[in-house]
Amino acid sequence: MSILNVYRHVKSIKPNLCVSFLVRANVCNAIVGKLVHNYPTVICERMHLSSHFDNQFSGVKRIIADIIPKICYRLAGTALGVSTGVTENLVSTYNVNQRRAATIFNPYPIKDIIALGQKSPEFSLPGEFIVSVGRLTKSKNTKLLINAFLASSEPAPLVVLGTGELQKELVEYISAIKAHDRVMLLGYAKNPYAVISRAKYYISASTNEGFPNALLEAMVLGKAVIMSDCPSGPAEILAGSYTFTARGVEMAEYGVLVPVNSSAMLTDAINCFQTPEVVEHYSKQSKLRSFDYSIEKIANDYWTLFKKKMR
């Protein structure tokens, strides 16, 4: 049905180029563009697809999930990943020709985010707190984050913004371990920037990201950041020159990276941030790095690509 709908629209519109986002739309665009109308197509993948499917499916369903993009993505004129890791996954796993693959990062309206960060928050907040943002799902690894945080020497509480299917389970867990005064699940925020801008620093323990939007938004707001080195995006954003602690925490150029699913190393990273000079250094580095992802720069990257494909 989706393929038929795309076919009807492009038959009527007769586009010079068709751009799609996410798996089902990408599959339809690739098939109709290549096999039916033969117009230029650009498919855009926003997630590290293998890791995303690993978190969503298992067994036979996991195998089936791979089959359709493996067959269809190679038909696309160009396959765009939102990070280098996403693009490499498309090439290595989903049969995208390397010559037809490219990477364009997510754009950020820096001035708008800063302005929203200056507004009053919709929640009553502690005077000092750490913040994490993301849906309460398996891929965000919130329970591990809570455990790592509680094992650290950080005196301020952890504030978590977001809702999801694990919310009830996490509320019950926090209650069971009597951590109400240390971990606050505040739910959905209409303006998360007003909360992030008031935090000491930002932290995430995700096992999978297409491109970590909340991480970049925190950096735009000048927050020092701790992030799991998950596929994909975090290392590209934070990497540069590295130094290593004894346990392997990576003190990268623009933030701190820790291995995925390592509660002990995440605790070590939090403890590193108990030195004010470290937080101050990474706050400055975050702000500096965020300008590489301005909406003006990324929009120009998209238009340059689209014009090239329409020649």
Side-chain angles (χ1 to χ4, degrees):
M1 182 61 72
S2 296
I3 293 172
L4 181 59
N5 286 335
V6 171
Y7 168 76
R8 287 170 176 166
H9 281 294
V10 299
K11 185 177 180 180
S12 172
I13 298 169
K14 298 178 180 176
N16 294 317
L17 174 72
C18 190
V19 183
S20 57
F21 298 83
L22 303 179
V23 177
R24 188 165 75 171
N26 287 341
V27 167
C28 294
N29 188 20
I31 290 174
V32 177
K34 182 68 172 180
L35 302 181
V36 182
H37 282 290
N38 197 31
Y39 54 81
T41 56
V42 176
I43 63 171
C44 302
E45 189 52 61
R46 320 308 288 175
M47 295 294 292
H48 185 276
L49 209 52
S50 294
S51 299
H52 176 62
F53 286 157
D54 286 343
N55 281 313
Q56 296 293 318
F57 308 110
S58 61
V60 175
K61 289 184 178 180
R62 174 65 184 85
I63 295 171
I64 293 173
D66 263 351
I67 292 175
I68 295 177
K70 280 184 176 181
I71 293 172
C72 298
Y73 274 22
R74 62 183 173 181
L75 301 176
T78 301
L80 276 183
V82 76
S83 68
T84 303
V86 170
T87 305
E88 289 174 349
N89 183 237
L90 294 175
V91 172
S92 64
T93 305
Y94 295 98
N95 298 323
V96 170
N97 189 309
Q98 180 74 60
R99 291 173 296 178
R100 296 182 178 180
T103 300
I104 297 181
F105 301 114
N106 276 349
Y108 293 85
I110 291 174
K111 291 180 181 178
D112 293 344
I113 291 173
I114 292 172
L116 287 167
Q118 294 171 348
K119 293 183 178 294
S120 298
E122 61 211 80
F123 303 108
S124 176
L125 297 169
E128 195 172 52
F129 62 94
I130 318 308
V131 71
S132 184
V133 181
R135 283 182 51 76
L136 302 180
T137 61
K138 180 181 177 183
S139 67
K140 297 304 179 183
N141 226 4
T142 309
K143 188 173 181 180
L144 181 141
L145 170 60
I146 291 170
N147 290 335
F149 173 80
L150 293 175
S152 76
S153 58
E154 174 58 65
L158 173 66
V159 166
V160 180
L161 300 180
T163 60
E165 60 263 29
L166 297 183
Q167 184 167 352
K168 183 175 182 291
E169 177 184 323
L170 290 168
V171 168
E172 292 174 350
Y173 180 68
I174 292 167
S175 177
I177 61 176
K178 296 180 172 57
H180 298 95
D181 59 334
R182 300 285 294 131
V183 181
M184 303 169 62
L185 301 184
L186 296 187
Y188 173 77
K190 293 180 180 178
N191 179 11
Y193 312 118
V195 179
I196 297 170
S197 67
R198 289 164 171 78
K200 286 177 66 178
Y201 54 88
Y202 174 86
I203 188 167
S204 172
S206 289
T207 60
N208 174 45
E209 296 279 355
F211 195 78
N213 291 322
L215 172 70
L216 244 303
E217 290 159 356
M219 295 175 77
V220 168
L221 293 166
K223 298 294 115 176
V225 296
I226 298 171
M227 184 79 198
S228 55
D229 191 10
C230 63
S232 62
E236 293 177 67
I237 296 168
L238 302 181
S241 56
Y242 291 91
T243 56
F244 299 88
T245 70
R247 297 183 67 95
V249 175
E250 298 179 359
M251 308 295 285
E253 187 171 358
Y254 300 106
V256 174
L257 285 163
V258 297
V260 175
N261 286 323
S262 177
S263 181
M265 291 188 189
L266 188 57
T267 298
D268 281 356
I270 296 170
N271 289 338
C272 287
F273 271 27
Q274 301 317 296
T275 303
E277 291 79 11
V278 173
V279 176
E280 182 181 357
H281 167 73
Y282 279 121
S283 295
K284 292 177 181 177
Q285 290 297 96
S286 282
K287 193 72 175 176
L288 179 66
R289 180 59 161 160
S290 69
F291 290 111
D292 291 333
Y293 301 90
S294 70
I295 195 166
E296 294 82 7
K297 179 183 182 301
I298 303 302
N300 182 66
D301 291 343
Y302 271 105
W303 282 115
T304 298
L305 175 72
F306 292 164
K307 290 174 182 177
K308 180 180 178 182
K309 297 302 173 183
M310 287 189 291
R311 288 174 186 168

